[in-house]
Amino acid sequence: MKGIKLGDKESKYPIIQGGMGVGVSLHRLAGTVSKEGGIGIISTADIGYQEEDFNSNPMKANLRAIGKEIKKAREIAGEDKILGVNIMVALNNYKEIVKECVKNKIDLIISGAGIPKELPEYVKGSKTKIAPIVSSFRCCQLIVKHWIKKYNYVPDMIVIEGPEAGGHLGFKKEELEEGKKPKLEDITKEVVEYVKEIEKESHKNIPIIAAGGIWDSKDIQKFLNLGATGVQMATRFVTTLECDASNEFKNAYLKATEKDIKIINSPVGMPGRAIYNQFMKQTEKEKCKVEKCYKCIKTCSVSNIPYCITKALINAVKGNMEKALVFCGSNVGKAKEIISVHQLMQELTEELI
């Protein structure tokens, strides 16, 4: 079993903990995952929600919190471990957030929820590695060709996120219906073959990471056998002691069954997988008054949305479940107990070849 190599650092295990916002994967979870041999990812989505001035100046609060969270995560993980962040392209201040993460010497930026066309420009001159999230071979090809042509930059890693992932998804809603969903296995095979050619031409090693619906060591081994370098998992890490979310958030995962999961229409114009709780049902019938706009996502139109996604996600991470949006992966119904990150990593890797 090999880890994931990025520059002069290499993880012990081929596992990345997916970024989960708002506030679900901050320094405690990400730092511990890296310490335990994986690659921990801090979510930058409204990362400053705990700062005193978040309501009055969310952008300033978010930029300040980035430095704080990376520093704390480093203290847990150690300088020799790979630590990353997830940054959504759809964020209003995407460029500033990327540059703040680079300034704080983050090892890896994983970027999706849109096409990160200019990302190589924003990390120029730094040691920070960058990885686009793709949902299809075509999307992968588009990004790789654009980065090479415009910046002479080959991705340092590629994350393939399939239709079983949690949160916002890179598919049209009709593509997520049973019988129409593309298979992560098929996308992985296509991307692996394509990247082999890019590696030959560029003389660069490009780790391929499969994500979405991966639950146990058998799933991990399956994608390693298909040619992936590693996997990204998020849902499994929510029900850990070190996850930064409230106990109420974790308990929502433990109580959820397969019937409780639904593809929702997110206020920001993307389909997303979430627990279909009472708040979701209520907002389908009547709009929840938006008292303040945090100007978080480019595609959000305040006059038309049924509720504020920032407020609903903050409610979730803080444990106010009556007014919460709880994103989850398709396998959330399998979560049965809260364990430590150490125990989970051992469980996920003990049977890997």
Side-chain angles (χ1 to χ4, degrees):
M1 173 181 48
K2 293 181 180 179
I4 300 166
K5 187 170 176 56
L6 277 178
D8 57 359
K9 294 185 181 182
E10 185 172 358
S11 65
K12 182 178 180 181
Y13 301 126
I15 297 172
I16 297 176
Q17 157 257 311
M20 297 171 281
V22 170
V24 179
S25 63
L26 295 178
H27 72 270
R28 189 170 57 168
L29 178 58
T32 307
V33 171
S34 292
K35 178 186 175 184
E36 293 294 338
I39 297 178
I41 304 295
I42 296 168
S43 169
T44 60
D46 282 322
I47 190 172
Y49 79 97
Q50 297 177 91
E51 297 291 305
E52 287 185 5
D53 58 346
F54 179 72
N55 281 329
S56 60
N57 196 335
M59 187 57 209
K60 188 177 178 182
N62 287 334
L63 291 176
R64 186 189 316 115
I66 285 169
K68 288 183 179 181
E69 292 295 330
I70 291 175
K71 183 182 177 184
K72 288 178 184 176
R74 280 264 182 245
E75 288 169 356
I76 296 170
E79 290 294 331
D80 60 327
K81 300 295 192 296
I82 301 173
L83 187 68
V85 292
N86 179 289
I87 309 177
M88 297 192 296
V89 179
L91 292 175
N92 258 318
N93 299 97
Y94 178 72
K95 178 180 177 180
E96 290 86 349
I97 290 169
V98 170
K99 292 201 166 189
E100 191 65 26
C101 291
V102 170
K103 177 183 164 186
N104 283 278
K105 296 181 170 59
I106 198 69
D107 298 310
L108 170 67
I109 292 173
I110 295 176
S111 195
I115 298 175
K117 290 182 179 179
E118 287 82 35
L119 186 53
E121 175 69 28
Y122 305 153
V123 301
K124 193 185 290 183
S126 75
K127 290 185 178 180
T128 299
K129 307 301 180 187
I130 53 176
I133 297 176
V134 304
S135 56
S136 67
F137 164 66
R138 183 174 170 273
C139 177
C140 174
Q141 195 177 39
L142 186 153
I143 293 171
V144 172
K145 285 185 174 181
H146 177 76
W147 282 13
I148 292 173
K149 184 179 179 181
K150 188 168 182 181
Y151 302 104
N152 192 29
Y153 198 110
V154 175
D156 299 296
M157 173 194 284
I158 292 171
V159 178
I160 309 161
E161 197 169 275
E164 302 299 335
H168 290 122
L169 302 166
F171 298 88
K172 294 176 182 176
K173 197 167 184 183
E174 53 269 26
E175 292 178 301
L176 297 168
E177 295 172 9
E178 286 303 323
K180 295 181 181 178
K181 282 190 281 190
K183 289 186 176 180
L184 178 59
E185 292 88 339
D186 295 337
I187 305 168
T188 301
K189 288 176 191 174
E190 285 186 299
V191 171
V192 164
E193 287 306 307
Y194 173 65
V195 168
K196 281 179 185 175
E197 296 303 313
I198 300 299
E199 286 180 323
K200 283 180 189 176
E201 293 169 11
S202 64
H203 305 290
K204 180 176 181 176
N205 176 56
I206 309 167
I208 304 296
I209 309 300
I214 296 166
W215 185 258
D216 55 23
S217 60
K218 289 181 181 177
D219 292 335
I220 297 171
Q221 191 65 60
K222 176 172 68 175
F223 285 98
L224 295 179
N225 292 345
L226 289 174
T229 315
V231 299
Q232 178 177 281
M233 309 172 75
T235 298
R236 286 301 308 260
F237 286 97
V238 169
T239 52
T240 60
L241 294 168
E242 294 86 355
C243 176
D244 296 274
S246 62
N247 287 332
E248 290 85 354
F249 189 102
K250 297 175 190 181
N251 286 332
Y253 270 46
L254 297 180
K255 292 174 186 174
T257 66
E258 195 176 331
K259 293 178 182 177
D260 297 321
I261 307 164
K262 186 174 179 180
I263 301 296
I264 64 161
N265 292 312
S266 165
V268 301
M270 307 174 201
R273 180 173 280 106
I275 294 174
Y276 192 52
N277 57 16
Q278 198 56 45
F279 179 67
M280 290 293 98
K281 294 172 186 176
Q282 180 187 328
T283 54
E284 283 183 349
K285 294 175 184 175
E286 58 179 324
K287 289 184 179 181
C288 182
K289 187 180 178 183
V290 178
E291 296 175 350
K292 175 179 175 56
C293 175
Y294 294 89
K295 295 180 171 59
C296 57
I297 303 286
K298 296 171 188 173
T299 53
C300 183
S301 174
V302 180
S303 58
N304 299 322
I305 57 174
Y307 58 92
C308 170
I309 192 167
T310 288
K311 194 67 178 171
L313 290 172
I314 291 173
N315 284 340
V317 77
K318 285 185 173 180
N320 180 8
M321 306 314 285
E322 291 180 4
K323 296 181 179 180
L325 167 59
V326 184
F327 279 137
C328 66
S330 63
N331 285 317
V332 69
K334 294 180 181 178
K336 301 301 178 192
E337 61 178 338
I338 294 175
I339 60 176
S340 69
V341 166
H342 175 78
Q343 189 178 337
L344 176 58
M345 292 297 281
Q346 296 306 304
E347 179 189 317
L348 293 173
T349 58
E350 61 187 358
E351 294 180 17
L352 294 184
I353 300 169

PDB file of all heavy atoms in Angstrom, residues 9-30:
ATOM      1  N   LYS A   9       6.536  15.770  -0.040  1.00  0.00           N
ATOM      2  CA  LYS A   9       5.803  15.138   1.069  1.00  0.00           C
ATOM      3  C   LYS A   9       4.981  13.959   0.552  1.00  0.00           C
ATOM      4  O   LYS A   9       4.544  13.949  -0.601  1.00  0.00           O
ATOM      5  CB  LYS A   9       4.872  16.148   1.757  1.00  0.00           C
ATOM      6  CG  LYS A   9       5.587  17.276   2.476  1.00  0.00           C
ATOM      7  CD  LYS A   9       4.580  18.149   3.218  1.00  0.00           C
ATOM      8  CE  LYS A   9       5.250  19.316   3.937  1.00  0.00           C
ATOM      9  NZ  LYS A   9       4.280  20.131   4.700  1.00  0.00           N
ATOM     10  N   GLU A  10       4.746  12.985   1.436  1.00  0.00           N
ATOM     11  CA  GLU A  10       3.936  11.829   1.057  1.00  0.00           C
ATOM     12  C   GLU A  10       3.129  11.356   2.266  1.00  0.00           C
ATOM     13  O   GLU A  10       3.666  11.228   3.373  1.00  0.00           O
ATOM     14  CB  GLU A  10       4.821  10.694   0.544  1.00  0.00           C
ATOM     15  CG  GLU A  10       4.028   9.499   0.029  1.00  0.00           C
ATOM     16  CD  GLU A  10       4.896   8.452  -0.646  1.00  0.00           C
ATOM     17  OE1 GLU A  10       6.117   8.669  -0.759  1.00  0.00           O
ATOM     18  OE2 GLU A  10       4.351   7.413  -1.069  1.00  0.00           O
ATOM     19  N   SER A  11       1.839  11.115   2.055  1.00  0.00           N
ATOM     20  CA  SER A  11       1.004  10.599   3.138  1.00  0.00           C
ATOM     21  C   SER A  11       1.284   9.108   3.339  1.00  0.00           C
ATOM     22  O   SER A  11       1.748   8.420   2.423  1.00  0.00           O
ATOM     23  CB  SER A  11      -0.482  10.816   2.823  1.00  0.00           C
ATOM     24  OG  SER A  11      -0.864  10.051   1.690  1.00  0.00           O
ATOM     25  N   LYS A  12       1.017   8.626   4.516  1.00  0.00           N
ATOM     26  CA  LYS A  12       1.217   7.202   4.801  1.00  0.00           C
ATOM     27  C   LYS A  12       0.158   6.351   4.098  1.00  0.00           C
ATOM     28  O   LYS A  12       0.438   5.273   3.579  1.00  0.00           O
ATOM     29  CB  LYS A  12       1.157   6.971   6.314  1.00  0.00           C
ATOM     30  CG  LYS A  12       1.407   5.518   6.730  1.00  0.00           C
ATOM     31  CD  LYS A  12       1.384   5.385   8.247  1.00  0.00           C
ATOM     32  CE  LYS A  12       1.641   3.940   8.669  1.00  0.00           C
ATOM     33  NZ  LYS A  12       1.589   3.795  10.154  1.00  0.00           N
ATOM     34  N   TYR A  13      -1.082   6.869   4.093  1.00  0.00           N
ATOM     35  CA  TYR A  13      -2.210   6.125   3.527  1.00  0.00           C
ATOM     36  C   TYR A  13      -2.801   6.852   2.305  1.00  0.00           C
ATOM     37  O   TYR A  13      -2.712   8.086   2.212  1.00  0.00           O
ATOM     38  CB  TYR A  13      -3.310   5.953   4.573  1.00  0.00           C
ATOM     39  CG  TYR A  13      -2.875   5.232   5.818  1.00  0.00           C
ATOM     40  CD1 TYR A  13      -3.057   5.801   7.090  1.00  0.00           C
ATOM     41  CD2 TYR A  13      -2.282   3.973   5.750  1.00  0.00           C
ATOM     42  CE1 TYR A  13      -2.670   5.148   8.250  1.00  0.00           C
ATOM     43  CE2 TYR A  13      -1.878   3.299   6.908  1.00  0.00           C
ATOM     44  CZ  TYR A  13      -2.076   3.900   8.143  1.00  0.00           C
ATOM     45  OH  TYR A  13      -1.680   3.245   9.283  1.00  0.00           O
ATOM     46  N   PRO A  14      -3.449   6.106   1.398  1.00  0.00           N
ATOM     47  CA  PRO A  14      -4.030   6.730   0.195  1.00  0.00           C
ATOM     48  C   PRO A  14      -5.430   7.290   0.432  1.00  0.00           C
ATOM     49  O   PRO A  14      -6.364   7.030  -0.325  1.00  0.00           O
ATOM     50  CB  PRO A  14      -4.067   5.555  -0.791  1.00  0.00           C
ATOM     51  CG  PRO A  14      -4.309   4.357   0.063  1.00  0.00           C
ATOM     52  CD  PRO A  14      -3.575   4.626   1.354  1.00  0.00           C
ATOM     53  N   ILE A  15      -5.565   8.057   1.508  1.00  0.00           N
ATOM     54  CA  ILE A  15      -6.890   8.556   1.906  1.00  0.00           C
ATOM     55  C   ILE A  15      -6.846  10.062   2.151  1.00  0.00           C
ATOM     56  O   ILE A  15      -6.025  10.562   2.925  1.00  0.00           O
ATOM     57  CB  ILE A  15      -7.385   7.853   3.184  1.00  0.00           C
ATOM     58  CG1 ILE A  15      -7.574   6.343   2.924  1.00  0.00           C
ATOM     59  CG2 ILE A  15      -8.688   8.471   3.687  1.00  0.00           C
ATOM     60  CD1 ILE A  15      -7.874   5.542   4.178  1.00  0.00           C
ATOM     61  N   ILE A  16      -7.758  10.773   1.485  1.00  0.00           N
ATOM     62  CA  ILE A  16      -7.960  12.206   1.722  1.00  0.00           C
ATOM     63  C   ILE A  16      -9.317  12.370   2.401  1.00  0.00           C
ATOM     64  O   ILE A  16     -10.306  11.763   1.984  1.00  0.00           O
ATOM     65  CB  ILE A  16      -7.947  13.003   0.397  1.00  0.00           C
ATOM     66  CG1 ILE A  16      -6.570  12.895  -0.279  1.00  0.00           C
ATOM     67  CG2 ILE A  16      -8.304  14.464   0.638  1.00  0.00           C
ATOM     68  CD1 ILE A  16      -6.498  13.580  -1.627  1.00  0.00           C
ATOM     69  N   GLN A  17      -9.352  13.159   3.453  1.00  0.00           N
ATOM     70  CA  GLN A  17     -10.635  13.487   4.103  1.00  0.00           C
ATOM     71  C   GLN A  17     -11.217  14.683   3.360  1.00  0.00           C
ATOM     72  O   GLN A  17     -10.582  15.719   3.248  1.00  0.00           O
ATOM     73  CB  GLN A  17     -10.388  13.786   5.589  1.00  0.00           C
ATOM     74  CG  GLN A  17     -11.447  14.645   6.269  1.00  0.00           C
ATOM     75  CD  GLN A  17     -10.957  16.071   6.444  1.00  0.00           C
ATOM     76  OE1 GLN A  17      -9.853  16.307   6.936  1.00  0.00           O
ATOM     77  NE2 GLN A  17     -11.766  17.029   6.033  1.00  0.00           N
ATOM     78  N   GLY A  18     -12.406  14.515   2.816  1.00  0.00           N
ATOM     79  CA  GLY A  18     -13.016  15.574   2.017  1.00  0.00           C
ATOM     80  C   GLY A  18     -13.347  16.809   2.832  1.00  0.00           C
ATOM     81  O   GLY A  18     -13.681  16.728   4.018  1.00  0.00           O
ATOM     82  N   GLY A  19     -13.246  17.962   2.195  1.00  0.00           N
ATOM     83  CA  GLY A  19     -13.589  19.216   2.857  1.00  0.00           C
ATOM     84  C   GLY A  19     -15.091  19.351   3.023  1.00  0.00           C
ATOM     85  O   GLY A  19     -15.844  19.095   2.082  1.00  0.00           O
ATOM     86  N   MET A  20     -15.531  19.732   4.214  1.00  0.00           N
ATOM     87  CA  MET A  20     -16.969  19.849   4.495  1.00  0.00           C
ATOM     88  C   MET A  20     -17.260  21.172   5.205  1.00  0.00           C
ATOM     89  O   MET A  20     -16.735  21.443   6.286  1.00  0.00           O
ATOM     90  CB  MET A  20     -17.431  18.677   5.375  1.00  0.00           C
ATOM     91  CG  MET A  20     -17.288  17.314   4.720  1.00  0.00           C
ATOM     92  SD  MET A  20     -17.588  15.953   5.877  1.00  0.00           S
ATOM     93  CE  MET A  20     -16.017  15.901   6.774  1.00  0.00           C
ATOM     94  N   GLY A  21     -18.096  21.983   4.584  1.00  0.00           N
ATOM     95  CA  GLY A  21     -18.441  23.254   5.176  1.00  0.00           C
ATOM     96  C   GLY A  21     -19.946  23.357   5.392  1.00  0.00           C
ATOM     97  O   GLY A  21     -20.686  22.564   4.846  1.00  0.00           O
ATOM     98  N   VAL A  22     -20.403  24.282   6.200  1.00  0.00           N
ATOM     99  CA  VAL A  22     -19.604  25.285   6.902  1.00  0.00           C
ATOM    100  C   VAL A  22     -19.108  24.686   8.210  1.00  0.00           C
ATOM    101  O   VAL A  22     -19.895  24.162   8.993  1.00  0.00           O
ATOM    102  CB  VAL A  22     -20.447  26.536   7.185  1.00  0.00           C
ATOM    103  CG1 VAL A  22     -19.749  27.502   8.122  1.00  0.00           C
ATOM    104  CG2 VAL A  22     -20.851  27.233   5.892  1.00  0.00           C
ATOM    105  N   GLY A  23     -17.792  24.732   8.449  1.00  0.00           N
ATOM    106  CA  GLY A  23     -17.239  24.420   9.759  1.00  0.00           C
ATOM    107  C   GLY A  23     -17.179  22.963  10.174  1.00  0.00           C
ATOM    108  O   GLY A  23     -16.793  22.667  11.294  1.00  0.00           O
ATOM    109  N   VAL A  24     -17.538  22.034   9.281  1.00  0.00           N
ATOM    110  CA  VAL A  24     -17.542  20.616   9.663  1.00  0.00           C
ATOM    111  C   VAL A  24     -16.122  20.056   9.662  1.00  0.00           C
ATOM    112  O   VAL A  24     -15.763  19.234  10.498  1.00  0.00           O
ATOM    113  CB  VAL A  24     -18.474  19.793   8.745  1.00  0.00           C
ATOM    114  CG1 VAL A  24     -18.474  18.320   9.127  1.00  0.00           C
ATOM    115  CG2 VAL A  24     -19.896  20.360   8.796  1.00  0.00           C
ATOM    116  N   SER A  25     -15.308  20.507   8.705  1.00  0.00           N
ATOM    117  CA  SER A  25     -13.894  20.084   8.708  1.00  0.00           C
ATOM    118  C   SER A  25     -13.001  21.312   8.831  1.00  0.00           C
ATOM    119  O   SER A  25     -12.674  21.968   7.857  1.00  0.00           O
ATOM    120  CB  SER A  25     -13.556  19.278   7.448  1.00  0.00           C
ATOM    121  OG  SER A  25     -13.702  20.044   6.275  1.00  0.00           O
ATOM    122  N   LEU A  26     -12.644  21.603  10.078  1.00  0.00           N
ATOM    123  CA  LEU A  26     -11.722  22.694  10.371  1.00  0.00           C
ATOM    124  C   LEU A  26     -10.422  22.101  10.923  1.00  0.00           C
ATOM    125  O   LEU A  26     -10.060  20.981  10.577  1.00  0.00           O
ATOM    126  CB  LEU A  26     -12.371  23.689  11.339  1.00  0.00           C
ATOM    127  CG  LEU A  26     -13.597  24.435  10.791  1.00  0.00           C
ATOM    128  CD1 LEU A  26     -14.183  25.356  11.847  1.00  0.00           C
ATOM    129  CD2 LEU A  26     -13.265  25.217   9.530  1.00  0.00           C
ATOM    130  N   HIS A  27      -9.710  22.826  11.778  1.00  0.00           N
ATOM    131  CA  HIS A  27      -8.361  22.407  12.178  1.00  0.00           C
ATOM    132  C   HIS A  27      -8.313  21.097  12.942  1.00  0.00           C
ATOM    133  O   HIS A  27      -7.395  20.310  12.770  1.00  0.00           O
ATOM    134  CB  HIS A  27      -7.697  23.514  13.009  1.00  0.00           C
ATOM    135  CG  HIS A  27      -8.252  23.667  14.393  1.00  0.00           C
ATOM    136  ND1 HIS A  27      -9.309  24.510  14.681  1.00  0.00           N
ATOM    137  CD2 HIS A  27      -7.907  23.076  15.576  1.00  0.00           C
ATOM    138  CE1 HIS A  27      -9.574  24.449  15.970  1.00  0.00           C
ATOM    139  NE2 HIS A  27      -8.748  23.575  16.535  1.00  0.00           N
ATOM    140  N   ARG A  28      -9.315  20.840  13.787  1.00  0.00           N
ATOM    141  CA  ARG A  28      -9.243  19.643  14.634  1.00  0.00           C
ATOM    142  C   ARG A  28      -9.329  18.364  13.801  1.00  0.00           C
ATOM    143  O   ARG A  28      -8.520  17.455  13.954  1.00  0.00           O
ATOM    144  CB  ARG A  28     -10.355  19.682  15.688  1.00  0.00           C
ATOM    145  CG  ARG A  28     -10.233  18.588  16.741  1.00  0.00           C
ATOM    146  CD  ARG A  28     -11.202  18.811  17.869  1.00  0.00           C
ATOM    147  NE  ARG A  28     -12.593  18.883  17.388  1.00  0.00           N
ATOM    148  CZ  ARG A  28     -13.653  18.849  18.199  1.00  0.00           C
ATOM    149  NH1 ARG A  28     -13.477  18.767  19.510  1.00  0.00           N
ATOM    150  NH2 ARG A  28     -14.864  18.933  17.711  1.00  0.00           N
ATOM    151  N   LEU A  29     -10.318  18.311  12.897  1.00  0.00           N
ATOM    152  CA  LEU A  29     -10.469  17.115  12.060  1.00  0.00           C
ATOM    153  C   LEU A  29      -9.334  17.013  11.052  1.00  0.00           C
ATOM    154  O   LEU A  29      -8.665  15.977  10.954  1.00  0.00           O
ATOM    155  CB  LEU A  29     -11.812  17.146  11.329  1.00  0.00           C
ATOM    156  CG  LEU A  29     -12.064  15.970  10.372  1.00  0.00           C
ATOM    157  CD1 LEU A  29     -11.979  14.635  11.097  1.00  0.00           C
ATOM    158  CD2 LEU A  29     -13.420  16.120   9.675  1.00  0.00           C
ATOM    159  N   ALA A  30      -9.096  18.077  10.299  1.00  0.00           N
ATOM    160  CA  ALA A  30      -8.071  18.036   9.245  1.00  0.00           C
ATOM    161  C   ALA A  30      -6.687  17.747   9.828  1.00  0.00           C
ATOM    162  O   ALA A  30      -5.932  16.923   9.295  1.00  0.00           O
ATOM    163  CB  ALA A  30      -8.059  19.347   8.471  1.00  0.00           C
TER     164      ALA A  30
END
